Amino acid sequence: MVCAFLIASEIFLTAEESLYYFGERRTDKTHSSKFQGVETPSQNRYVGYFAQVKHLYNWNLPPRRILFVKRFIIYSFCGDICDLKVQIAMEKKVVFSSTSSRYCWIMRNIETDEVFIDVFDSPPLYDDVKVQFFSSREEGSTLHRANWKGEPSRRPVLD
């Protein structure tokens, strides 16, 4: 909120300047050299969004963009995909779950430890979207949804 105020009051024009100033002022260098600024990526993004609304859109919200998920890629996945689930929520309501959808395919490339989650029935997504991944099993289970070596298959991916 402080960074947004610094932009709104035109003390700083950019998110980067505001975030840097806030971090410098908040860090007590007499006790520690650890930077105490805004460290959460989502908070950094929102300060940037705030600056865009002010400067690019003259305090108006930009037009809503509706998007559809085609594929998630998880790099360096350790563990088992047997019970891997993806859940998408908007406005604190679950709008997609891989456990209740027949239109989701989960595959793992065991050579690269990449997991591909193809979504064939994505709901329209807009505004704030929360994506969560769940898995509780450890590596070594014998049941897998799909494992392969090499490049992912060339199945069609829907818009």
Side-chain angles (χ1 to χ4, degrees):
M1 292 301 287
V2 172
C3 293
F5 170 78
L6 293 171
I7 294 168
S9 60
E10 297 185 350
I11 294 172
F12 294 102
L13 297 177
T14 68
E16 293 80 13
E17 292 171 331
S18 176
L19 288 163
Y20 178 78
Y21 176 80
F22 175 75
E24 285 292 312
R25 297 292 295 175
R26 187 173 182 215
T27 303
D28 184 358
K29 295 180 181 172
T30 61
H31 291 91
S32 173
S33 61
K34 185 177 182 321
F35 185 72
Q36 297 292 314
V38 177
E39 296 176 3
T40 307
S42 62
Q43 291 174 333
N44 277 300
R45 283 193 305 273
Y46 273 97
V47 174
Y49 298 155
F50 184 88
Q52 287 180 353
V53 167
K54 180 182 187 306
H55 297 297
L56 298 178
Y57 297 103
N58 197 27
W59 292 112
N60 295 306
L61 290 176
R64 176 179 279 170
R65 291 183 59 199
I66 297 176
L67 303 173
F68 296 87
V69 174
K70 295 179 183 180
R71 172 181 275 180
F72 295 104
I73 302 174
I74 302 173
Y75 298 95
S76 299
F77 182 82
C78 296
D80 194 342
I81 66 168
C82 179
D83 69 338
L84 180 63
K85 297 171 183 66
V86 61
Q87 190 173 24
I88 304 173
M90 291 187 332
E91 298 175 0
K92 299 184 180 183
K93 294 171 74 176
V94 174
V95 296
F96 179 86
S97 174
S98 62
T99 57
S100 62
S101 175
R102 294 176 292 165
Y103 304 103
C104 180
W105 187 261
I106 299 176
M107 301 168 290
R108 179 178 182 191
N109 184 325
I110 57 177
E111 287 182 342
T112 63
D113 285 329
E114 294 174 324
V115 173
F116 296 82
I117 304 170
D118 288 342
V119 177
F120 300 113
D121 190 24
S122 171
L125 303 173
Y126 50 87
D127 298 336
D128 283 335
V129 175
K130 181 177 185 179
V131 178
Q132 293 179 289
F133 299 92
F134 301 96
S135 180
S136 60
R137 291 190 183 221
E138 298 200 15
E139 195 160 1
S141 173
T142 57
L143 177 62
H144 293 279
R145 291 192 187 176
N147 279 332
W148 83 92
K149 294 181 179 182
E151 292 296 315
S153 63
R154 298 287 183 197
R155 289 191 325 272
V157 179
L158 306 177
D159 283 324

